[in-house]
Amino acid sequence: MSVFVIAEAGVNHNGSIELAKQLIDAASDAGADAVKFQTFKAEKLVSKNAKKAEYQQKNMQDEDNSQFNMLKKLELDIETHKELIAYCKTKNILFLSTPFDLESVDMLDSLGLEIFKIPSGEITNLPYLKKIAQLKKKIVLSTGMATLREVGDALELLSSNGTPKENITVLHANTMYPTPIEDVNLKAMLTIGQTFDVVYGYSDHTLGIEVPTAAVALGASVIEKHFTLDKNMQGPDHKASLEPEELKAMMQAIRNIEKAMGDGIKKPSKSETPNITIARKSIVAARPIKKGEVLSEENLTVKRPADGISPMRWDEIIGSRANKDYKADEQI
């Protein structure tokens, strides 16, 4: 099974359908499996007096500290969703979007989405989890900011409301943009997989591509990573996102690591087999040896190539007699 890579466009379209399409182009060109946006109604998501997160203030550097005003500009209506879904089909990439309120869940369901992404912030939202579980679709659940118990509670809620655990992939995540490397705690991804016997993956907010690549080596089946057309654009998430060339580099690294993981059977590979004879050694005469002479540590040595008697038979050969004359370096 190939690692499923979600290129997270999120709100990096800045409210522009043209930018959204360019993001789809970039995700498709990089070879990602899916491109993911965010579906919300600002009125349903956040109260009017909610302030921006510190990273949003820092990244946007504008006077307006209202989370509501910021999100209102980033909404995508149903017609835009339809247009982007159709555009994704022409680009041979799966359209995904994260719903942030109950109305958005209904909207994405009506648009025929087969996979529902639950963001970290909704892992303790019982009515929301219940509604998504009842759709009986595939679920990808992010777990940033969550304890192991909260992950378990969410999984229990989802499975008791109609979505079996086999249809859920749980992503380890850290909800800080960007995530400091020392806060990644990639081993927690394995803890999630082992504790709940569930398919696991990783949603990355670090700068760079090392951590998602390492997650693949640890068995992640889904990787999600924010990307943008340009890190210097105005908006909350651009700075913690990859640019198109970096997204390509991440895809290449992930696909290479997948191939490099192999089947786990320790045996000579096809490419190295011809080198066995060249790199290994045989037992040879260390100096001229006469027929009938006792073979000893003094008159024998070990040299390449390995097309004679293996040095693993050294103890068996020592003490026997030469059955013919040998020149120096001649194989026994």
Side-chain angles (χ1 to χ4, degrees), residues 21 24-26 28-29 86-94:
K21 286 180 176 176
I24 292 167
D25 291 341
S28 173
D29 290 346
Y87 191 70
C88 281
K89 287 199 172 94
T90 70
K91 286 297 192 171
N92 203 20
I93 190 167
L94 186 66

Side-chain angles (χ1 to χ4, degrees), residues 284-289 326-330:
V284 302
R287 55 170 172 75
I289 298 172
Y326 290 99
K327 296 191 204 78
D329 271 0
E330 196 180 338

Side-chain angles (χ1 to χ4, degrees), residues 7-301:
E8 162 83 92
V11 293
N12 284 345
H13 51 76
N14 288 2
S16 155
I17 193 159
E18 284 316 309
L19 270 184
K21 286 180 176 176
Q22 287 172 36
L23 285 160
I24 292 167
D25 291 341
S28 173
D29 290 346
D33 298 288
V35 59
K36 190 173 79 62
F37 293 91
Q38 295 180 5
T39 302
F40 54 83
K41 285 269 182 286
E43 287 84 359
K44 307 274 181 187
L45 176 56
V46 65
S47 60
K48 293 274 198 317
N49 54 6
K51 290 189 169 35
K52 289 178 189 166
E54 194 182 327
Y55 79 88
Q56 291 170 339
Q57 289 177 41
K58 198 170 154 191
N59 291 349
M60 293 188 73
Q61 297 174 331
D62 60 8
E63 296 301 308
D64 185 1
N65 195 20
S66 158
Q67 207 182 134
F68 176 83
N69 291 347
M70 172 187 79
L71 292 169
K72 192 71 196 153
K73 293 174 197 153
L74 299 171
E75 279 181 8
L76 301 174
D77 64 20
I78 190 157
E79 292 313 314
T80 306
H81 277 74
K82 285 177 182 169
E83 196 170 330
L84 294 180
I85 289 168
Y87 191 70
C88 281
K89 287 199 172 94
T90 70
K91 286 297 192 171
N92 203 20
I93 190 167
L94 186 66
F95 173 94
L96 294 178
S97 192
T98 302
F100 281 86
D101 52 72
L102 301 183
E103 204 176 294
S104 297
V105 173
D106 283 334
M107 180 166 121
L108 291 176
D109 184 38
S110 75
L111 291 168
L113 261 69
E114 289 302 316
I115 301 172
F116 272 75
K117 168 70 201 294
I118 296 175
S120 296
E122 306 302 328
I123 198 166
T124 57
N125 182 347
L126 187 148
Y128 173 97
L129 294 174
K130 199 168 172 181
K131 187 172 184 74
I132 287 182
Q134 287 165 348
L135 299 175
K136 299 180 169 53
K137 304 277 180 88
K138 286 200 167 101
I139 290 175
V140 176
L141 172 69
S142 266
T143 61
M145 307 173 290
T147 62
L148 198 62
R149 170 170 289 201
E150 286 171 333
V151 176
D153 289 346
L155 279 171
E156 173 58 38
L157 193 61
L158 291 169
S159 53
S160 64
N161 280 283
T163 302
K165 208 167 57 172
E166 301 74 65
N167 287 354
I168 303 170
T169 302
V170 181
L171 304 187
H172 174 54
N174 178 296
T175 308
M176 185 60 198
Y177 302 82
T179 298
I181 287 289
E182 62 275 15
D183 284 354
V184 169
N185 193 14
L186 211 43
K187 286 182 179 174
M189 177 180 77
L190 303 180
T191 304
I192 288 167
Q194 287 154 5
T195 306
F196 303 112
D197 186 26
V198 73
V199 179
Y200 60 83
Y202 174 62
S203 177
D204 186 54
H205 301 123
T206 63
L207 299 173
I209 67 172
E210 307 96 329
V211 183
T213 311
V216 171
L218 287 174
S221 63
V222 172
I223 293 291
E224 180 180 86
K225 181 78 173 173
H226 278 268
F227 78 108
T228 180
L229 297 174
D230 181 352
K231 288 180 191 186
N232 298 312
M233 290 170 96
Q234 265 290 83
D237 296 340
H238 294 289
K239 282 196 171 46
S241 302
L242 297 180
E243 288 183 347
E245 288 309 307
E246 294 173 300
L247 183 63
K248 277 183 188 164
M250 184 189 80
M251 289 305 306
Q252 189 63 56
I254 286 173
R255 297 302 178 221
N256 283 344
I257 291 297
E258 271 183 305
K259 284 185 197 147
M261 292 303 285
D263 59 10
I265 299 162
K266 180 57 186 162
K267 64 182 190 304
S269 73
K270 193 175 165 188
S271 64
E272 71 184 338
T273 300
N275 294 331
I276 293 173
T277 309
I278 297 159
R280 289 185 175 180
K281 295 173 178 172
S282 304
I283 299 173
V284 302
R287 55 170 172 75
I289 298 172
K290 293 275 178 232
K291 184 177 177 179
E293 197 181 324
V294 174
L295 300 176
S296 69
E297 299 205 357
E298 280 67 53
N299 61 18
L300 293 184
T301 190

